[in-house]
Amino acid sequence: MSPVRKMSAVVAAIMLGAPTVANAGEGTSGWLSGDWYLTLGATGMVAPKFEGSNSYLLSASPIISLGKAGPAARFTSRNDNISLALVDDGGVRAGLTGKFLFSRDSKDELKGLGPVRWGGEVGGFFEFYPTDWLRARAELRHGIRAHNGFVADIAADAFYDITPTVRISGGPRVSFASSSYFDSYYGVNAKEAVASGLSEYHPGGGLKSTGLGGAITWKVTDPMTASLFGEYARLIGPAADSSLVKERGDRNQFTVGVSTTYRFDFAM
């Protein structure tokens, strides 16, 4: 079974299990009632202009997380996409996730290639704590509008509190994608090859990248946090084999930035 199919099975299990959690109370309304939290924030970072690029620019992205209040979250990461927890008992957390995708214009190094429209990805996530100082998280998302493929991200982060308000964390990352995703971002058809000067390329699916990430997080107040982070990813498989990366880009992708979040507590 392929990695993407394995991830699909995990997410399916999460979705099938969610109604059971709701039924444990008084139906959907019973599950909705109670204390909730909404975490909002933003990230500013210097990152590649596009996936596989060898030039960088400053950009920003939102941070959104919604869930029922329960045991205090032991760890969160700026890599966590927009999340709605359907299961959250402190040791295991699972539910829905989503990601915004910005458009990619056909200019500069991308001149001659078809543009990628803005859109998003929706799917599910699952995270757990093998130990008190390690969190593992997996996300499986399907593209909407920007592409029609699947993306699976897996990360593990070890974390340690230097002081009661300052934490360091870091660990490995790995990403998989389907052929439809790679075709949108890394493929070069015959017409595009003529217009761009790049070699024609038709990718399959598989492993997309591996890498490492780390952060220093400061708990400014009880509901507010700020962090400094860095990420490194090395493109492999269909992404690394793309003529866009080989002829005009770089397999090595670096990201550095800062983020801040604020948590709002409310009841329903």
Side-chain angles (χ1 to χ4, degrees), residues 83-252:
S83 303
L84 170 60
L86 302 177
V87 177
D88 189 350
D89 67 1
V92 173
R93 189 166 178 261
L96 306 177
T97 188
K99 181 179 182 179
F100 294 117
L101 296 176
F102 296 102
S103 61
R104 193 184 76 176
D105 297 326
S106 299
K107 58 183 180 180
D108 300 329
E109 306 100 310
L110 300 170
K111 187 174 182 180
L113 300 180
V116 177
R117 301 181 297 175
W118 67 266
E121 295 171 348
V122 296
F125 77 93
F126 176 81
E127 64 182 47
F128 70 101
Y129 294 83
T131 71
D132 291 336
W133 48 267
L134 178 67
R135 188 199 70 164
R137 177 177 169 115
E139 294 187 9
L140 176 65
R141 306 178 305 273
H142 186 273
I144 298 175
R145 197 170 188 269
H147 67 88
N148 193 39
F150 283 94
V151 178
D153 294 326
I154 302 173
D157 287 273
F159 51 92
Y160 176 75
D161 294 330
I162 300 175
T163 73
T165 59
V166 178
R167 167 177 288 179
I168 58 173
S169 61
R173 286 87 170 90
V174 62
S175 183
F176 302 85
S178 66
S179 58
S180 295
Y181 173 88
F182 282 121
D183 187 58
S184 296
Y185 288 93
Y186 294 93
V188 181
N189 61 35
K191 182 178 179 181
E192 291 173 327
V194 173
S196 67
L198 292 169
S199 302
E200 188 173 348
Y201 179 64
H202 300 281
L207 191 57
K208 175 188 169 189
S209 66
T210 59
L212 294 169
I216 301 174
T217 303
W218 174 35
K219 189 175 182 179
V220 183
T221 63
D222 183 53
M224 182 178 182
T225 62
S227 68
L228 171 67
F229 63 87
E231 300 276 339
Y232 165 72
R234 183 167 175 80
L235 300 178
I236 55 181
D241 292 337
S242 171
S243 55
L244 177 59
V245 176
K246 284 185 173 181
E247 299 171 17
R248 294 184 186 171
D250 191 345
R251 294 179 63 181
N252 299 302

Side-chain angles (χ1 to χ4, degrees), residues 23 40 77 226:
N23 291 336
L40 299 176
S77 168

